Amino acid sequence: MTDDGTTTAAATGTLGYEQARDELIEVVRRLEAGGTTLEESLALWERGEELAKVCRRWLEGARARLDAALARPEEPSETDGAPD
């Protein structure tokens, strides 16, 4: 972590969705609360942008997985198409 409480950009790539989302919520809370210097605010903003990208990548990946699963033809069950 840096002095302003944010993690480094290198660690961003290893964050899971929930971790990135939770940290992004904290960044937004700190920005909205004010009381930080311009430099701290800029660093928080930049971190927020990185975290938003991480969240977006996770969500896009999840959407792609769902789309792929929905596009697969259903496999017939044992009772489907079986002669009675």
Side-chain angles (χ1 to χ4, degrees):
M1 287 207 169
T2 60
D3 290 342
D4 66 354
T6 60
T7 56
T8 63
T12 303
T14 61
L15 290 176
Y17 172 77
E18 290 81 6
Q19 293 169 310
R21 181 201 60 210
D22 291 347
E23 188 178 341
L24 180 56
I25 290 168
E26 180 60 20
V27 166
V28 170
R29 185 197 65 72
R30 289 181 63 194
L31 284 168
E32 288 177 342
T36 57
T37 66
L38 178 59
E39 190 61 36
E40 290 169 334
S41 295
L42 288 172
L44 285 167
W45 180 270
E46 290 168 346
R47 181 62 180 163
E49 289 292 327
E50 292 172 6
L51 293 164
K53 287 177 187 175
V54 170
C55 290
R56 193 173 312 115
R57 280 194 301 269
W58 275 106
L59 292 172
E60 288 169 355
R63 170 51 64 195
R65 288 176 62 188
L66 286 172
D67 289 345
L70 292 172
R72 276 188 243 135
E74 290 188 35
E75 295 183 22
S77 66
E78 292 179 21
T79 59
D80 288 347
D84 289 324

